[in-house]
Amino acid sequence: MPNIAVLPGDGIGREIMPQALRVLQAVVKDLPETWEFSECLAGGAAIDALGKALPEETLKVCHQADAILLGAVGGPKWDTLPGPERPEMAALLGLRKEFGLYANIRPVKMLPYLLDASPLKRERVENVDMVIIRELNGGLYFGEKGRKTNPPAAYDTMIYSEDEIRRILHVGFKTAQARQKRLCSVDKANVLETSRFWREVANQVATEYPDVELSHMYADNAGMQLILNPSQFDVMVTDNTFGDLLSDIASVLGGSIGMLSSASLGEKIGLYEPAHGSAPDIAGKNLANPLAMILSVASMLRHSFARHEAAAKIEQAIDRVFAAGYRTGDIAKPGDKVLGTKEMGDAVLEALR
Ligand code: IPM
Ligand code: MG
C-alpha cells in the first residue's frame, strides 16, 4: 500500500500541492492498491508552528513513506534567520541529506503547444528534449562553510569524493543509454580542481559504457549553448551548483520554470518537487502554474512506483488542456484562455475523465 508524505511547504507550495493531489487521487483510484497520504509541515510553516523547518514529526512521517511530495519552502519572513535555520537549508537540503537524495533529474522538453511561450525563436527550441542530471548531495552546498573575523570574510568549500562523482556519472550514463546515448558532462575544469577530478572520474566511468558518447563542456559555455543551440543536448550531468544554475536557464526554453518538474533520487525513497521556489511575489493570489507540481506527481508514479501508464495519463491530460487553449499566466500568449492555479487543476482533472 503506497504511502506518500505530502509537504506543501510555503508560498505557492500551498496552492499547487492541493491541485497535484487532486490529480494524483484521480489517477490512483483506478489502481488495485489503496494509496495513503500523510500531510505534514515543512519550511517556514513548520518554523512558525513548531519552531523548526524540518520537525521530528515530519521526518518520522517521511521515514515511513514510500515517496515524498514537496511543494516549495521559504519566504521573506524567514530570510533573516541564520543560514542553517532557513527553510531552504534546514528543510530542503535537510531532506536531501537525510535521505541521501544524490541524483536530481530535471527533464526539459519542448511541448509543441508551448512553442510560442518560449522566449527563444521556434526553430531554436522546437527539438529540445533533454534531461539535466544534477548531483544533489555534495559540492559547494554541503562543504564546510562559515565566517571569519579580522578581516571579515566568509567561505564555502567545494569538495567531491570519487564515490560521489562516480555514482552520479553512473546515473548519467544509464539515463543516456535509455535515450540518445549522448552524455555531456559539465564542469569548470579550466579553473577548479574538483572539476579536473570530476573529468578524470567521468572518463574512467565512460569505459563501462562504450555505447554512450561522452563529451565535456565548461559550465559557462554550457549556459551559452543552452540558449544558442539547446537541441544539441541529450543528457547533461553536472555538479550541485552548476546544475542549479543550468536547470533554471534550461527551464525557460520550454516556456516557464512553472513547467519544470524535479525528481530527487537516492538508494531508498524519492522526493518529487517542482524545480521552482515558493514565489512569494505571487503567493496567495491563485496565479501560480501548478503543472510543474502535477508533472512531479507523474514523475513519482514513474520513478518510485513504475506506474508508467498512470504517469502517461497525467501527461496526456495536460496535453489536452493545452490543445484546448488553456494556459496559466506564465505561459500564456495573446488569445490564450488564462486560468488560475485552481482552475488549471480543474482543467487537468476534467481532461483526465
Ligand atoms: C532548486 C532550488 C534550491 C537549490 C533552493 C531553494 C535551495 O533552487 O531546487 O533548484 O538551490 O537547490
Ligand atoms: Mg534552483
Side-chain angles (χ1 to χ4, degrees), residues 88 92-93 96 106 134 136 141 240 244 247-248 273 275:
E88 297 89 335
L92 195 51
L93 272 59
R96 289 174 183 171
R106 298 185 166 178
R134 167 187 176 194
L136 204 60
Y141 275 57
N240 209 340
D244 182 41
S247 61
D248 264 36
E273 58 172 333

Side-chain angles (χ1 to χ4, degrees), residues 14 16 30 41 72 83 95 118 134 136 145-146 165 184-185 204 218 220 226-227 229 278 280 299 310 326 334 336-337:
R14 312 189 73 78
I16 57 177
D30 299 331
L41 292 171
L95 284 166
S118 178
R134 167 187 176 194
L136 204 60
K145 51 184 87 240
I165 302 172
C184 179
S185 172
Q204 280 165 20
Y218 294 143
D220 48 351
L226 278 172
I227 305 299
N229 180 16
S278 60
S299 171
Y326 294 112
D336 287 335
K337 295 170 245 181

